[in-house]
Each structure stands twice: as C-alpha cells, then as structure tokens.
Amino acid sequence: MGKKQPDSCGLGPALEVISGKWKALLLWQVHKAPARFGELKRLVPDISEKMLIQQLREMEADGIVHREVFPEVPPRVEYSITEFGIELDNALIPLARWGKQHAGRTDGQRPGKASALAPRGL
Amino acid sequence: MGKKQPDSCGLGPALEVISGKWKALLLWQVHKAPARFGELKRLVPDISEKMLIQQLREMEADGIVHREVFPEVPPRVEYSITEFGIELDNALIPLARWGKQHAGRTDGQRPGKASALAPRGL
DNA sequence: TCAAGTACCGACAAAAATGTAAGCCACCCA
DNA sequence: TGGGTGGCTTACATTTTTGTCGGTACTTGA
C-alpha cells in the first residue's frame, strides 16, 4: 500500500462482498423476501449451517443484509436486505445478463471447476 | 443437477469468470491495451508467473481474452481483450460504481481479510 | 421422559486457491 | 562458452475457504 494506484475502480470491495460460495444466492433470497434462519436453510438445501451463518454474518458486517431478533418464544431471527444491498443487487443485474446471454461459452467447459464456487442455479 | 432450478440468473457463470485473485485486474489491463506476457508481469508486479499464465489461460478458455503468438524472434505473445470481454467489462461498471460509492463501509473493517482476494487497487 | 424445533458455536478435516522456486528451450550477443 | 531475455512448465508448500459433525440452551408437545 505504499503508492496509491490510480486504478481504484471500486471493483475490489464489490467483489469481496459477493465472492463467497453462497452469498449471491443468499442475497437474492433475502431480496425476494425477508427470511429466517431455518427458512434460508430450506431454500438453499445444500448449504451447511456453519456456512449459512458465516456468510450471513459477513454480509451483515458488510451492511448488505440486516439481522433482527424478535424476542418471542420460540426465538425468531429474520434476515432482510438493506438499501445498500438492494443497490448492490441492481449493480449485479448487468453482470447477470452478461452471464445469461453468453451461457454455454464458459459453463460446462472446464470439468475440474464449478464445484467450489457457484453451487448451481445462479 | 437433478432438478433445474428456476433461478438461473446468470450470475453463477459470470462470477466464476472473474473470481480469481487477479482476473479483474488483468482484464482491465488488457482492456486498456493489448499487452504481452512480460509486460503484464511488469504492470502487475506482485503476481507470480505461474498465476499470471494460469489466470490468462482460464480467461482465454472463457473467451474473454485472446492470445496470439507472433512467430518472430524473439518470440512474442500478445494478450488482448475480446468482444466478449469488453461486454463483461461494461457489465462490471455498475458494480465498480457501487463499490466506489460505498467504499469504506466494507473495506478495512475486517482485519483478517483482504489478503487473498482483491490484491489492491481495484 | 423423550423427541423435536429454533438458532446457533466450535474443533477438526478436506478441498481449493495461491505462492515459491527451480528448470526448460530457443535464440541473441559478446 | 557463457550469460541474458522471453514465455513458459512443473513439483511442492502454504494459505484460504468450505465442509462434517457434534454440542448448547431453551421450549413445546406426546
């Protein structure tokens, strides 16, 4: 970090925020509607509880999702998208369109990939 | 892949294509101007040769950069951005703007991060 | 009393991504 | 004959990310 490079285009922070295996998927789920922990678990069946909570916490720290505890019985925790998250979502639309338009050129070509990242159905 | 989910928004492929530690940076460099191997090495000083060639090859496989060998002496290899890559670049602009606008909310908050991904100056 | 549901935490292990260092081959120049 | 450049390749090590599995605390229902 000695010399500040003139090429700070903002992509770094942005990519960091969504580049978890499940983050985009989770962002999209809470974008559709607020959801509670167990609900998200059901919506994204292949995620483990550890990963679910971990990614949610990071997204919370990054300000794109909001976590609210309702002191009821049984306890209820709801995750919802923030304004900040909605803007991110919108910024992702062109990228999604790009991926959709040219689907098939990249996907399925590399056999050894596509297992760790991009679970499926993005 | 048993049941096709209705939520194929294209983000998966797109994220897979740019989510390497150096890919966005490299895409941006070849976007500015075609460059040869050693040139890229100089432009992105912290990348190792192995990573450089690896990421370039993957980007080539994904169709976003083009590799051309000039049978000269000394041998010359030039990497340039493709049409496909330019479109990707454009699709990334809103995302970059998002990251730039809200810089500081995410960056620098998590001490243990920012080392593996997003080298610097994105 | 036992099972089940909700929302987690944490140790450990596997897998994936990245880094380090060395070597290769063809050529040029001295 | 030896060193330097260009564009790689390969083996191996380290770091980062993700997964597995078990446990916690509380409460309701059978």
Side-chain angles (χ1 to χ4, degrees):
Chain A
M1 299 185 183
K3 42 198 165 184
K4 54 178 172 184
Q5 299 180 229
D7 46 341
S8 296
C9 59
L11 257 186
L15 286 175
E16 210 169 290
V17 165
I18 35 155
S19 70
K21 181 166 171 185
W22 310 95
K23 286 191 185 169
L25 205 42
L26 289 174
L27 184 68
W28 191 52
Q29 291 294 350
V30 298
H31 167 251
K32 285 196 297 186
R36 38 197 306 195
F37 185 84
E39 209 168 344
L40 287 169
K41 215 173 75 180
R42 261 167 265 126
L43 288 166
V44 187
D46 287 351
I47 196 174
S48 67
E49 295 190 346
K50 181 201 162 192
M51 271 300 117
L52 181 49
I53 195 71
Q54 185 175 306
Q55 307 257 298
L56 283 172
R57 288 277 152 91
E58 287 181 15
M59 293 165 85
E60 194 196 352
D62 286 336
I64 60 176
V65 305
H66 172 68
R67 175 175 182 270
E68 189 159 10
V69 184
F70 296 87
E72 302 172 0
V73 57
R76 194 157 73 92
V77 180
E78 227 181 55
Y79 295 90
S80 52
I81 197 167
T82 63
E83 261 307 313
F84 197 37
I86 292 177
E87 288 172 36
L88 174 57
D89 218 76
N90 290 332
L92 285 171
I93 292 176
L95 191 58
R97 234 197 350 252
W98 180 89
K100 206 171 188 173
Q101 263 179 13
H102 309 280
R105 290 204 46 176
T106 64
D107 195 9
Q109 311 281 46
R110 272 184 278 150
K113 295 270 294 183
S115 56
L117 274 159
R120 106 202 88 263
L122 277 163
Chain B
M1 299 186 180
K3 42 196 165 182
K4 55 178 170 183
Q5 300 180 228
D7 47 341
S8 297
C9 59
L11 257 186
L15 287 176
E16 210 167 290
V17 164
I18 35 156
S19 69
K21 181 167 171 182
W22 310 95
K23 287 191 185 168
L25 205 43
L26 289 173
L27 185 68
W28 191 54
Q29 291 294 349
V30 298
H31 167 251
K32 286 196 297 188
R36 39 196 305 194
F37 185 86
E39 209 168 343
L40 287 169
K41 214 171 77 179
R42 261 167 267 127
L43 288 166
V44 186
D46 288 351
I47 196 172
S48 68
E49 295 190 345
K50 180 202 164 190
M51 271 298 117
L52 179 51
I53 195 73
Q54 184 176 307
Q55 307 256 303
L56 283 172
R57 288 276 152 91
E58 287 180 16
M59 293 166 86
E60 193 195 353
D62 286 335
I64 59 177
V65 305
H66 172 69
R67 174 175 182 270
E68 188 158 10
V69 184
F70 296 86
E72 303 172 358
V73 59
R76 194 158 72 93
V77 181
E78 228 181 53
Y79 295 91
S80 53
I81 197 167
T82 63
E83 261 307 312
F84 197 37
I86 293 177
E87 290 172 33
L88 173 57
D89 219 76
N90 290 332
L92 284 172
I93 292 177
L95 191 58
R97 235 197 350 253
W98 180 88
K100 207 171 188 173
Q101 264 179 11
H102 310 278
R105 290 205 45 175
T106 64
D107 196 9
Q109 310 281 47
R110 271 183 280 151
K113 294 270 294 185
S115 57
L117 275 160
R120 108 204 87 261
L122 276 164

